[in-house]
Amino acid sequence: MLIVEDSAGDAALIVLELGRTGFAPTWRRVESVAELTAALAEGGWDVVLSGYAVPGLGAEDVLAISRRADQDLPVIVVSGAIGEESAVGLMRAGASDIILNGHLARLGPAIVRELDEAQRRRQSRQRELAS
């Protein structure tokens, strides 16, 4: 799991909450375009969790960079507060889900759902290429 977050404490809180729901993820925190790009180039990530307004790297940037690296990689935005218009814009831009910090219990089920969806998209693409 790749976490795009400028606060180490917020990233740790996310991982702690995931641990409460049975996850034990291997994860890395990045907070710049260069770090995100390098981590994605390494590959092996199942999901990206992104803060909404990381200085110099907003959620829309994370979505665009992640999609260029892997069009099926789920990107879930985790935010303290986000307006409805911004949330709709992020979903249209390709965010897999948006989870508010006050509802982190939803994060585990969202990750499971999005991993399943990503697997289906990849399998469908492979079938299309094989035909």
Side-chain angles (χ1 to χ4, degrees), residues 1-5 25-31 35-42 44-50 62 66 73-76:
M1 175 172 57
L2 190 57
I3 302 175
V4 182
E5 178 58 64
T26 300
W27 61 283
R28 181 189 315 172
R29 182 179 70 90
V30 299
E31 58 181 307
E35 290 175 337
L36 175 61
T37 303
L40 290 170
E42 290 173 18
W45 303 107
D46 294 321
V47 64
V48 175
L49 304 180
S50 177
V62 173
S66 298
L73 183 63
V75 177
I76 298 173

Side-chain angles (χ1 to χ4, degrees), residues 75-91:
V75 177
I76 298 173
V77 177
V78 180
S79 177
I82 187 169
E84 184 177 340
E85 189 173 314
S86 296
V88 169
L90 287 170
M91 295 301 286

